[in-house]
Amino acid sequence: MDLKETLVKLVSQSRERFSPYNLLYEQLVHLPFNRPIYVLAIGTAAYQMTEAVLYHATQEPFVRIKECLVVTHYGNVKAPLANTTTLEANHLVPDENSLKAADAVIDFLQKRLYEDTLLILLSGGGTALMEKPVEGVTLAEFNDKIESLIRNGADLETVDSERKHLSEVKGGKLLQH
């Protein structure tokens, strides 16, 4: 086997091993048996992770998914998923759907009871997919500030720090809802 064949084989094995289907299955066994589970998935891989969880739930009688909310980038949703609301929004610079997504996440969390089981699936890119600017800041003002930072070469840490100050849902503030 030459180097190219070896690399292709390793990449293929890695993709299989680290796919959402395999990684999430290993974690689902830790969920409570025969209790409804609510899934909140946010990020680039949110749809794929939820799809994997729902697939495994059909294979395992102990996994009972009651309701899912998925927030992901435009173009990531392939088809409707059972008991799932999917919202697509813009990445990096929030749009109107980012505002709707933040409101939907807040509403979803506020409906959960203390005894409910909440499975949270996070992947990269989730920071900009849902947004709720602080009172007194419009979406246009929020975006102007973020776009200005990006245009002027600010690193991601600086951009995310500014987002926390301008947001009702960043920096742990989502937990207040």
Side-chain angles (χ1 to χ4, degrees):
M1 186 181 303
D2 68 3
L3 181 59
K4 181 179 178 181
E5 289 173 345
T6 302
L7 289 174
V8 169
K9 183 178 178 182
L10 286 172
V11 168
S12 178
Q13 289 173 344
S14 295
R15 288 184 74 192
E16 183 177 326
R17 170 68 179 101
F18 296 106
S19 77
Y21 282 83
N22 293 330
L23 290 175
L24 288 168
Y25 180 75
E26 294 169 5
Q27 299 307 311
L28 290 177
V29 298
H30 300 291
L31 293 172
F33 290 165
N34 294 320
R35 289 191 52 199
I37 298 165
Y38 298 88
V39 177
L40 174 60
I42 302 170
T44 302
Y47 177 88
Q48 293 85 352
M49 291 187 298
T50 304
E51 184 180 47
V53 167
L54 291 171
Y55 169 78
H56 290 305
T58 65
Q59 306 300 309
E60 301 292 342
F62 66 86
V63 179
R64 294 180 40 218
I65 306 300
K66 177 84 171 171
E67 182 183 357
C68 307
L69 176 60
V70 173
V71 178
T72 191
H73 299 223
Y74 290 117
N76 283 356
V77 176
K78 299 174 195 157
L81 298 172
N83 302 322
T84 302
T85 300
T86 55
L87 301 167
E88 294 177 284
N90 197 38
H91 180 252
L92 212 49
V93 179
D95 62 4
E96 288 298 323
N97 282 347
S98 305
L99 300 177
K100 291 175 186 173
D103 287 339
V105 169
I106 290 167
D107 184 57
F108 184 82
L109 292 174
Q110 287 178 339
K111 289 179 180 175
R112 302 292 67 87
L113 303 174
Y114 179 78
E115 59 273 4
D116 287 343
T117 300
L118 179 63
L119 175 61
I120 300 177
L121 306 171
L122 300 174
S123 68
T127 304
L129 292 172
M130 57 176 220
E131 191 52 76
K132 186 173 184 74
V134 294
E135 191 173 323
V137 176
T138 67
L139 179 60
E141 292 167 336
F142 183 96
N143 285 342
D144 286 345
K145 180 66 175 174
I146 299 305
E147 287 173 340
S148 174
L149 288 168
I150 294 168
R151 210 175 22 257
N152 290 313
D155 59 20
L156 187 56
E157 186 176 319
T158 302
V159 173
D160 284 345
S161 176
E162 188 61 27
R163 278 189 178 123
K164 288 178 195 174
H165 296 300
L166 296 172
S167 175
E168 289 288 334
V169 294
K170 301 292 188 287
K173 296 177 192 170
L174 184 59
L175 293 175
Q176 297 170 5
H177 298 284

